[in-house]
Amino acid sequence: MSTHTVVNAQRRQFLKLSGALAGTVTLAGLSHPTLAEKLPASDSFAVPTADKPIRINFNENALGMSPKAQAAARDAVTKANRYAKEEIITLRHKLANQYQIPETGILLTAGSSEGIRASIEAYATPDSQLVIPELTYGDGEHFAVIAGMKITKVPMLDGWQFDINGLKQAVEKHKGPSLVYLVNPNNPTATITPADLIEPWINSKPTNTIFIVDEAYAEFVNDPRFRSVSPLVKQGADNVILLKTFSKIFAMAGMRVGYVVAHPTVIARLENYVAGEKINFCGVDAALASMDDQAFIRYSKKSNDISRQILLQALDTLQIPYLPSEGNFVFHKLDVSLKDYQQHMKDAGILIGRAFPPAQSWCRISLGTPQEMAFVAKTMLDFRSRGWI
């Protein structure tokens, strides 16, 4: 049987299955009357162009903010000549109630990036080190370089998993303070590190060690082995900084609203390294509306699950290895040049992720809407027939 015949058979099989997946949208509860317009019908899907590509390169939420959050942001424009002082107090109070901690345990930040920077600057000393896995989100290393810190990278285990024992050894060998930066789920791999590996280490309170745990993608997780470190903060742990954001599940990346959850003494230290809780009015009001819009949160999660299923089905059909995804993106193997693959995708109206050394032969694809991912999957099958994937 020729390669062309095999690819055509794979394409027919995939399209049949993806059609069934698209049909599950309503069954999955994504047809909520206030949200239906956010997930266009497959027959109204607009083929992407160079000017209007499918953007699956920055782990953004393709749905856009919830209708309620969009309305709140628009309404906030009319009062944006004022500072959002009362609204910021309300948001902090609401978050404290959610985590069941004092309000002094919450610090609002301009996205989670400001939280990363403030955490590193607050604990950087001439003899301190930042301990990170070799393959992870780059902001921790970026800000540590600016702060003049020593950076200790620990090689990954098979499957690009964190080597927790290796990270522990890096802390134990260092004579000064250590900051351990853990992204869970990790970026760019989308894999989780089980709580049973993280919690005992934090609870052991290694000397002069602060754990910065970035849970930007936690709301997308299905794996029961994952647990947030927030209960540790609630129980009084003063050696852990939890970073959160409204960018992902709430689709507010451009609004730049994030926050830190930590012991009040830690928050008091971090406050010296931010420009005050000066979050923009539209972002604050959108965040408040988003927290109350449970229907959208469920909708966003289910849409992401379906989009992931469509992409993984295509990868399975093409027999392309990938890592188990617990975020709104997938990390898969490539047997072709990433640079060439990126260009072919761009020519097809699809933007995908950049290179992530040392995983040179891997590609990160963010998840768009189910309709977008069906188009992406079909494009990947077309690429196989051309030898481009």
Side-chain angles (χ1 to χ4, degrees):
M1 185 180 294
S2 69
T3 301
H4 182 72
T5 302
V6 171
V7 170
N8 280 341
Q10 290 177 334
R11 183 182 294 113
R12 287 193 298 272
Q13 177 190 22
F14 170 73
L15 291 177
K16 180 179 178 181
L17 291 172
S18 64
L21 279 171
T24 66
V25 171
T26 298
L27 294 178
L30 295 178
S31 59
H32 189 283
T34 64
L35 303 173
E37 73 276 9
K38 304 302 292 181
L39 190 61
S42 57
D43 57 3
S44 67
F45 172 73
V47 175
T49 63
D51 293 335
K52 294 183 179 180
I54 293 175
R55 293 173 48 171
I56 48 175
N57 53 335
F58 289 132
N59 292 355
E60 297 158 330
N61 189 329
L63 297 177
M65 294 190 301
S66 83
K68 291 181 180 178
Q70 291 183 37
R74 285 192 297 269
D75 291 344
V77 171
T78 63
K79 52 186 178 181
N81 58 312
R82 308 294 183 185
Y83 295 112
K85 292 186 177 296
E86 292 300 320
E87 289 77 6
I88 284 172
I89 292 172
T90 300
L91 181 57
R92 192 190 314 115
H93 176 75
K94 201 174 191 70
L95 289 166
N97 283 344
Q98 175 179 311
Y99 289 94
Q100 298 182 329
I101 60 174
E103 291 184 37
T104 50
I106 299 289
L107 176 66
L108 299 180
T109 58
S112 59
S113 292
E114 186 181 27
I116 298 170
R117 180 191 56 73
S119 299
I120 288 174
E121 289 184 358
Y123 288 91
T125 62
D127 60 342
S128 63
Q129 68 166 348
L130 178 73
V131 179
I132 55 174
E134 188 178 24
L135 180 61
T136 194
Y137 183 56
D139 270 13
E141 180 180 0
H142 170 71
F143 291 121
V145 168
I146 294 173
M149 289 182 66
K150 174 188 176 183
I151 298 168
T152 302
K153 293 186 180 181
V154 176
M156 310 292 282
L157 299 176
D158 290 344
W160 300 107
Q161 292 291 317
F162 289 174
D163 181 359
I164 296 297
N165 286 330
L167 294 166
K168 288 180 181 178
Q169 291 173 18
V171 170
E172 292 168 359
K173 291 177 181 178
H174 187 65
K175 297 188 182 301
S178 292
L179 291 178
V180 180
Y181 178 54
L182 299 174
V183 182
N184 199 24
N186 189 32
N187 180 13
T189 63
T191 55
I192 62 114
T193 301
D196 290 348
L197 295 179
I198 297 175
E199 290 174 358
W201 188 18
I202 295 175
N203 287 331
S204 71
K205 302 199 74 172
T207 305
N208 290 331
T209 303
I210 294 292
F211 295 88
I212 304 172
V213 184
D214 189 335
E215 295 183 3
Y217 303 96
E219 291 80 7
F220 294 114
V221 174
N222 293 311
D223 192 327
R225 297 176 302 161
F226 171 87
R227 286 191 299 272
S228 172
V229 297
S230 60
L232 302 184
V233 178
K234 180 183 176 183
Q235 293 161 16
D238 60 0
N239 63 337
V240 59
I241 297 170
L242 170 58
L243 303 176
K244 297 293 295 181
T245 182
F246 282 87
S247 295
K248 307 305 178 180
I249 192 76
F250 297 108
M252 287 177 49
M255 286 293 188
R256 311 310 304 138
V257 181
Y259 57 98
V260 178
V261 183
H263 190 279
T265 58
V266 174
I267 294 294
R269 185 165 179 167
L270 299 187
E271 284 176 334
N272 296 320
Y273 295 89
V274 298
E277 293 177 310
K278 293 181 171 60
I279 312 301
N280 74 84
F281 222 135
C282 295
V284 172
D285 278 8
L288 286 167
S290 293
M291 289 184 70
D292 289 336
D293 196 349
Q294 293 299 312
F296 178 80
I297 298 171
R298 292 191 298 270
Y299 164 81
S300 184
K301 170 72 167 57
K302 288 177 180 178
S303 177
N304 191 75
D305 286 345
I306 291 173
S307 291
R308 184 193 297 116
Q309 190 178 356
I310 291 171
L311 179 57
L312 296 188
Q313 179 184 277
L315 293 170
D316 286 337
T317 299
L318 294 168
Q319 298 183 334
I320 295 175
Y322 56 86
L323 299 184
S325 169
E326 296 295 336
N328 65 338
F329 53 102
V330 172
F331 206 48
H332 73 79
K333 193 80 167 61
L334 271 183
D335 289 328
V336 297
S337 161
L338 174 60
K339 183 177 180 181
D340 291 343
Y341 185 55
Q342 285 177 312
Q343 188 60 53
H344 290 315
M345 278 289 200
K346 184 177 181 180
D347 293 341
I350 302 168
L351 303 182
I352 59 173
R354 59 177 175 81
F356 291 93
Q360 302 287 11
S361 60
W362 289 74
C363 175
R364 189 191 73 182
I365 292 185
S366 307
L367 297 175
T369 65
Q371 286 76 25
E372 288 176 334
M373 298 318 296
F375 180 89
V376 170
K378 180 179 181 299
T379 300
M380 293 170 70
L381 287 163
D382 289 339
F383 283 7
R384 172 59 59 87
S385 67
R386 299 167 185 251
W388 292 349
I389 188 174

